Amino acid sequence: MKNVNLEKNSIVVDKISKHYDGFSLENVSFKLPKGCIMGFIGENGAGKSTTIKIILDLVKQESGNVSVLGDNAKNANVREDIGVVFDEGCFPDEINADNLKNSFKYIYKNWDSNVFDDYLKRFSIPNKKNMKDFSRGMKMKLAIAVALSHKAKLLVLDEATSGLDPIVREQILDVFMEFIQNEENSILLSSHIVSDLEKVCDYITFIHEGKILLSKEKDLLMEEYGLLKCSKKELENVPQDAIERVRENQFGVEALVKRNKIGRAFTIDKATLEDIMLFMIRGNKVC
Amino acid sequence: MLGFMLKDVYTMKKQMKMTLVISLFYIIFSIADNNIGFLSFVVMFANLGVLLSTFSYDEKSHWDKYARILPISYQKIVFSRYAEILIVNAVVFVILMPIMFFIKKPEQEILEVLTILIAVICVSIILLSIMFPIVYKLGMEKARIMIFVIIFIPVCAAVTIGKLNVGLNMASFLESPIANFIGYHLYIICPLIAAVFFTLSYQISKSIIAKKEY
């Protein structure tokens, strides 16, 4: 990996592989530039969590390299600058927000209790209530408050917004947008809720069956692809290299097409991120 | 490390209160019955009831995985748990020692009482030293059966051997010079054995955690 890559990017994943019984991560590569939010999407079991665990050094890759903030998450000093939120929440049931504050004071060198208190107020999280009485939304907000209270430069969130109501999700996305105002900061956000990613992400990385299908700027991706709805016969007139994937239904066919290759003869609708994801996974290739 | 230990204290506050109440019951019972034997239950409750339970709470909340992304080395994470063993037993020793001296029978020597307390604490440390690597390796849920086997198989074996009367002459052994030497120096021998178990256990736990994937 070139040094310039490491300076510009918060995360560089370079051809990592990992094999389990029945599942393999194959040559996964992508870069998360500083100052950006990357949405990491894919269906259940596609390899999102395994990739994130390799990035965080919770799982060892069999081949390939990972750089996090110019170094490696093995290094405790690097972990000082990473804020992580897992799907499970991860704080014991008998503990409350004040207890966490007192504990994290001795764990993170840059821990700021005032910032943590501000987030608690903002998220309406009670200081003395035990975790076991928290809703899933409150647990997630508390985990995000912890992740943001030690001057982290990189946030890694694994399914952190899944299962939350739209109001809580909106609140959390606002916080992410504030965090990213500092151009040194960046976020890797894995989620099933593609509409959330569409709102906030600068980059999209799409993983399917352990392989990266695409990793590029969201705006370019949205510009690149469009939806063509037509009959089977009409589809035959479409240049083959313009058609990425096709799905048939009772009214005809829907195709995910590359706008720059299709010409002006066809009416192309906007493809959402969800459309692109669904076509990539469930659509058929045209031979 | 202090942060991890604080988190354990907060997590276990309910468990500690319960252990304290049960311990008080045994202490009162010991004083009333003038029998220091009941105090060994206090040592066991403090060790097994409080220290082992921290693993259950961590497992349930997936704290172990989270702990590995915090800026503390895995060596320190493991050491914090082992330091808790030492702290809990030091506290237990300081609390129980005066109580034992208070309720000891007049014919008992101070060294004898002290030896009993040290031996019970050391047995607890040895038990935890055996259990911790198993818990780190298998997780608390799976380790329960192993722990049950580890504690009860030797006990059952000892009882069975005793009943079979396989020619071991315990009475003559206990009167031998070696047994006398061990008996008089138990207050040194027990901590030495416990220290060996403790150190080995810490090293094994560390290597388990170093290889563990989450």
Side-chain angles (χ1 to χ4, degrees):
Chain A
M1 274 178 282
K2 289 175 186 170
N3 281 338
V4 67
N5 264 345
L6 304 182
E7 283 164 20
K8 280 184 187 170
N9 299 301
S10 291
I11 298 176
V12 180
V13 177
D14 187 27
K15 293 178 185 163
I16 57 167
S17 297
K18 177 83 181 174
H19 301 275
Y20 295 103
D21 279 344
F23 172 74
S24 290
L25 211 59
E26 299 278 2
N27 288 322
V28 168
S29 300
F30 62 86
K31 290 169 194 164
L32 167 59
K34 285 182 180 170
C36 295
I37 303 180
M38 176 180 277
F40 195 32
I41 59 173
E43 61 199 313
N44 284 334
K48 300 190 296 292
S49 292
T50 307
T51 307
I52 285 176
K53 283 176 187 172
I54 290 173
I55 291 169
L56 296 173
D57 194 42
L58 293 171
V59 166
K60 312 266 182 283
Q61 72 270 31
E62 286 156 10
S63 60
N65 294 305
V66 177
S67 158
V68 181
L69 299 172
D71 199 328
N72 194 296
K74 267 188 197 124
N75 183 341
N77 289 330
V78 171
R79 296 203 296 273
E80 187 78 46
D81 292 330
I82 308 175
V84 181
V85 180
F86 290 116
D87 185 24
E88 297 104 342
C90 293
F91 302 129
D93 279 352
E94 298 297 325
I95 220 162
N96 63 38
D98 274 352
N99 298 157
L100 283 177
K101 181 170 70 181
N102 292 336
S103 304
F104 280 117
K105 240 186 331 203
Y106 298 100
I107 290 173
Y108 285 109
K109 283 179 202 155
N110 295 325
W111 179 260
D112 190 332
S113 293
N114 294 327
V115 172
F116 183 67
D117 284 335
D118 288 344
Y119 277 115
L120 292 187
K121 267 186 206 158
R122 185 171 170 182
F123 290 149
S124 309
I125 297 170
N127 293 56
K128 305 282 181 198
K129 197 172 178 178
N130 281 353
M131 288 290 291
K132 67 177 175 208
D133 301 319
F134 274 27
S135 66
R136 185 181 150 76
M138 282 163 83
K139 280 182 186 174
M140 284 299 129
K141 286 195 283 188
L142 180 60
I144 290 166
V146 170
L148 291 168
S149 299
H150 57 91
K151 300 184 178 74
K153 290 175 185 158
L154 169 66
L155 284 189
V156 178
L157 304 109
D158 190 10
E159 299 291 351
T161 58
S162 306
L164 304 183
D165 67 64
I167 295 155
V168 174
R169 287 199 334 254
E170 184 82 16
Q171 206 177 8
I172 289 172
L173 295 181
D174 286 345
V175 171
F176 292 164
M177 293 308 283
E178 284 168 25
F179 176 77
I180 217 70
Q181 294 310 306
N182 182 339
E183 288 186 358
E184 282 298 301
N185 294 349
S186 33
I187 302 177
L188 176 65
L189 173 62
S190 101
S191 179
H192 287 114
I193 304 164
V194 185
S195 58
D196 284 352
L197 301 178
E198 208 164 317
K199 274 185 207 164
V200 297
C201 290
D202 305 295
Y203 283 79
I204 295 292
T205 294
F206 182 16
I207 189 166
H208 179 55
E209 292 176 349
K211 295 186 185 85
I212 298 292
L213 287 190
L214 56 88
S215 183
K216 57 174 69 176
E217 274 183 62
K218 183 193 74 189
D219 292 341
L220 287 179
L221 189 68
M222 309 296 271
E223 269 173 37
E224 188 177 350
Y225 292 105
L227 271 187
L228 171 67
K229 291 172 185 170
C230 60
S231 65
K232 264 186 177 179
K233 194 144 183 83
E234 284 170 320
L235 192 70
E236 285 169 12
N237 299 323
V238 177
Q240 293 288 298
D241 61 342
I243 305 169
E244 188 66 34
R245 294 283 200 282
V246 179
R247 290 174 73 183
E248 285 185 37
N249 57 39
Q250 54 184 336
F251 306 110
V253 291
E254 274 187 312
L256 182 72
V257 293
K258 288 182 177 166
R259 286 174 185 273
N260 61 345
K261 291 186 176 169
I262 200 159
R264 291 176 181 270
F266 301 92
T267 309
I268 308 298
D269 295 332
K270 191 186 165 205
T272 62
L273 210 47
E274 194 162 332
D275 292 329
I276 298 171
M277 184 174 151
L278 284 173
F279 270 91
M280 291 284 189
I281 294 172
R282 302 187 66 182
N284 300 314
K285 277 194 169 180
V286 177
C287 301
Chain B
M1 211 174 83
L2 186 60
F4 276 75
M5 288 158 82
L6 261 179
K7 173 240 134 206
D8 280 348
V9 170
Y10 290 129
T11 308
M12 299 310 298
K13 56 191 176 222
K14 229 181 194 175
Q15 202 82 13
M16 284 195 288
K17 276 181 200 164
M18 217 163 73
T19 306
L20 205 68
V21 171
I22 296 169
S23 300
L24 270 175
F25 170 77
Y26 276 104
I27 288 169
I28 293 165
F29 202 64
S30 296
I31 295 170
D33 197 47
N34 212 24
N35 184 350
I36 56 173
F38 289 113
L39 294 178
S40 53
F41 287 108
V42 176
V43 181
M44 289 295 169
F45 275 122
N47 279 289
L48 302 181
V50 176
L51 290 172
L52 269 188
S53 301
T54 51
F55 285 97
S56 300
Y57 281 96
D58 283 0
E59 192 170 309
K60 198 178 159 203
S61 62
H62 303 275
W63 169 264
D64 289 346
K65 181 168 82 170
Y66 190 78
R68 289 302 294 273
I69 56 95
L70 298 175
I72 307 287
S73 67
Y74 70 87
Q75 292 96 330
K76 282 185 183 167
I77 294 173
V78 176
F79 187 73
S80 68
R81 274 284 150 81
Y82 279 81
E84 285 170 14
I85 298 181
L86 299 180
I87 292 167
V88 165
N89 282 291
V91 171
V92 166
F93 181 80
V94 169
I95 293 171
L96 292 190
M97 198 174 55
I99 298 169
M100 281 185 122
F101 287 154
F102 176 69
I103 58 176
K104 81 175 181 68
K105 289 170 184 143
E107 65 271 21
Q108 281 180 309
E109 287 178 30
I110 287 177
L111 188 62
E112 188 189 336
V113 174
L114 198 66
T115 301
I116 293 169
L117 181 58
I118 289 172
V120 172
I121 285 176
C122 288
V123 167
S124 297
I125 292 174
I126 290 169
L127 277 178
L128 286 181
S129 299
I130 296 168
M131 289 171 190
F132 270 29
I134 300 169
V135 176
Y136 274 122
K137 179 77 184 172
L138 303 174
M140 194 60 205
E141 286 305 312
K142 289 182 194 162
R144 276 183 215 280
I145 302 160
M146 282 288 284
I147 289 167
F148 185 80
V149 169
I150 284 167
I151 294 174
F152 284 94
I153 282 188
V155 173
C156 292
V159 171
T160 313
I161 290 167
K163 278 189 177 172
L164 287 175
N165 198 11
V166 286
L168 288 172
N169 193 345
M170 283 305 283
S172 66
F173 173 74
L174 288 174
E175 282 165 12
S176 68
I178 300 170
N180 268 330
F181 178 82
I182 293 171
Y184 278 111
H185 295 88
L186 262 184
Y187 65 97
I188 300 170
I189 294 168
C190 283
L192 281 177
I193 296 171
V196 170
F197 269 86
F198 185 85
T199 312
L200 275 176
S201 172
Y202 170 59
Q203 296 299 339
I204 295 167
S205 294
K206 248 182 6 180
S207 68
I208 290 168
I209 290 297
K211 290 173 199 153
K212 196 165 183 174
E213 294 195 334
Y214 294 85

